[in-house]
Amino acid sequence: MNMERKFPSTRLRRLRTSKKLIDLVSENTITSNDLIQPLFIKENLSGTESIKSMPDILRYGKDEVNKEIKNIINCGINTIALFPIIKPELKNSSGSEAINKDNFICSMIKQIKDEYPEIIIIADVALDPYTDHGHDGVLNQDYVDNDATVNILVEQSLLLAASGADIIAPSDMMDGRIAKIRQSLESEGFINTILLSYAAKFNSHFYGPFREAIGSSSKLQGSSKSSYQMNTANYNEAYNEVALDINEGADIVMVKPALAYLDVINMIKKEFKVPTFAYQVSGEYSMIQNAIKEGWLDKNVMLESLLSIKRAGADAILSYAAKDISLEIKNL
Ligand code: PBG
């Protein structure tokens, strides 16, 4: 680079004299193709229900889900991530409802695919919606048992794939689960089922509103996920997690949360050059959305935040604001 170029031969403001010029030299953009809408669906609910800690986000009952999918498609979004809330009496210590082939999530995937076969469905793989202790796996004393959990996650993944999920997303952080799930998918003939690994998932306090939304926080009773989710202080460890998951057969890797981990997103994309997603999690969403609703921040902060995640290197972003932002950018 020629550092001799000085004012006035260089006036960086020349390219900022109009919105059209600014857009012309813009380095990053967000389109609805980059956005994924997470959706809370609740068994035995008729209609919808609001979530106290997540402004404008609802839980949808079986009868309302397809209507909402239609809204999402109309906003230009092609991909959804489903999170079930099951009947409390179905939760137990082994999360056995996760591997009941007629469970709520499997029936909802079928219901959605029947009407909207073109929508891309991401189904989460973890036991926290199903366990009575709120952990992502089964316990041996107080410790989440890695290998026993992986065996269950394999079964859960096969059921989700058989129900029609396009993308299986293990969010549990057990070691070795990608390899086992990939092997089983291959041997059962699900050769095109995509594995999106929550590879670098931090033990973050930004998940609070999500845990309220799916009802796992009261179950956890203050117990932490620190024996499986990553230490929030770590960076190199994210490299190791991602390297392992790619070797084990992940098609896409994810960093989660997003805004507090932009350095990690950037490093992963640069180092591995594989499809890399980021999750703007519930706490990030609620913080921003609440400030917008209170009038403390301009509504453009949501787009600014998503753009920063894109700029860091994310190819796509899971965001509770996906639908609204997608509409907004369409109308810009
Ligand atoms: C759990 C799971 C979590 C999220 C997605 N899947 C929370 C957790 O690890 O407790 C968080 C998403 C969010 O906060 O928006 N398997």
Side-chain angles (χ1 to χ4, degrees):
M1 184 164 137
N2 181 3
M3 300 307 286
E4 298 302 307
R5 293 176 64 216
K6 287 209 184 85
F7 177 84
S9 72
T10 302
R11 286 182 190 266
L12 293 180
R13 290 184 59 197
R14 283 188 197 113
L15 294 174
R16 299 178 196 143
T17 54
S18 73
K19 164 116 178 36
K20 286 197 164 56
L21 269 172
I22 290 170
D23 287 346
L24 181 68
V25 296
S26 171
E27 298 174 40
N28 289 287
T29 46
I30 290 199
T31 74
S32 51
N33 293 323
D34 306 316
L35 297 171
I36 297 162
Q37 181 71 51
L39 211 59
F40 295 112
I41 51 179
K42 184 172 174 179
E43 192 166 18
N44 265 9
L45 172 69
S46 104
T48 59
E49 208 171 70
S50 60
I51 300 164
K52 210 172 122 255
S53 56
M54 298 187 73
D56 306 325
I57 301 299
L58 303 173
R59 300 186 189 93
Y60 295 86
K62 180 179 163 53
D63 49 338
E64 287 288 327
V65 173
N66 283 34
K67 266 188 255 169
E68 180 58 10
I69 303 286
K70 187 161 194 218
N71 291 334
I72 291 171
I73 293 172
N74 286 342
C75 291
I77 293 185
N78 308 314
T79 311
I80 55 169
L82 295 176
F83 295 99
I85 296 118
I86 67 164
K87 288 186 276 186
E89 63 269 25
L90 295 178
K91 297 191 182 191
N92 59 27
S93 62
S94 65
S96 60
E97 181 63 8
I99 52 173
N100 164 12
K101 73 172 175 33
D102 299 316
N103 69 13
F104 177 59
I105 183 74
C106 291
S107 74
M108 293 311 299
I109 294 172
K110 288 178 201 146
Q111 174 185 309
I112 295 169
K113 279 285 179 179
D114 273 350
E115 195 171 351
Y116 301 105
E118 73 284 9
I119 190 110
I120 300 170
I121 297 184
I122 302 178
D124 220 60
V125 169
L127 298 182
D128 55 327
Y130 303 98
T131 52
D132 57 10
H133 43 72
H135 279 290
D136 290 21
V138 289
L139 300 180
N140 182 356
Q141 317 282 18
D142 281 343
Y143 189 69
V144 173
D145 184 327
N146 193 86
D147 300 7
T149 299
V150 170
N151 290 335
I152 305 173
L153 299 179
V154 166
E155 278 191 62
Q156 185 185 24
S157 302
L158 289 174
L159 288 182
L160 295 168
S163 304
D166 305 275
I167 302 181
I168 304 291
S171 68
D172 54 285
M173 290 295 281
M174 296 302 116
D175 288 321
R177 88 276 204 224
I178 297 295
K180 288 247 171 140
I181 293 171
R182 174 58 80 208
Q183 274 165 18
S184 311
L185 288 171
E186 283 291 321
S187 63
E188 295 297 319
F190 298 109
I191 60 163
N192 283 328
T193 299
I194 296 159
L195 273 180
L196 159 59
S197 170
Y198 285 71
K201 178 172 178 179
F202 290 85
N203 182 31
S204 169
H205 288 95
F206 283 104
Y207 307 146
F210 174 96
R211 291 183 188 170
E212 189 216 307
I214 70 158
S216 70
S217 45
S218 56
K219 303 281 176 196
L220 278 169
Q221 293 184 322
S223 169
S224 147
K225 299 192 177 185
S226 59
S227 82
Y228 44 107
Q229 298 181 349
M230 280 180 57
N231 179 352
T232 56
N234 292 0
Y235 177 83
N236 294 329
E237 191 187 3
Y239 180 98
N240 291 332
E241 284 283 0
V242 168
L244 282 169
D245 285 359
I246 294 171
N247 276 329
E248 290 179 25
D251 304 289
I252 307 169
V253 293
M254 182 137 76
V255 176
K256 171 184 180 187
L259 193 57
Y261 300 87
L262 295 178
D263 55 338
V264 177
I265 298 171
N266 190 255
M267 179 266 286
I268 298 298
K269 186 65 194 178
K270 277 197 177 133
E271 292 288 339
F272 295 100
K273 307 186 195 310
V274 299
T276 303
F277 289 6
Y279 199 145
Q280 184 192 48
V281 300
S282 56
E284 295 177 59
Y285 166 82
S286 291
M287 223 167 37
I288 295 171
Q289 189 68 4
N290 205 39
I292 293 171
K293 282 188 97 76
E294 291 288 342
W296 298 333
L297 291 174
D298 183 272
K299 79 173 182 28
N300 284 308
V301 291
M302 188 64 87
L303 185 57
E304 182 178 332
S305 182
L306 292 170
L307 202 49
S308 76
I309 299 166
K310 192 82 199 297
R311 196 183 63 234
D315 298 297
I317 306 166
L318 277 96
S319 166
Y320 298 94
K323 209 174 64 172
D324 290 349
I325 290 291
S326 190
L327 265 190
E328 214 175 287
I329 44 193
K330 251 194 196 172
N331 299 331
L332 274 186

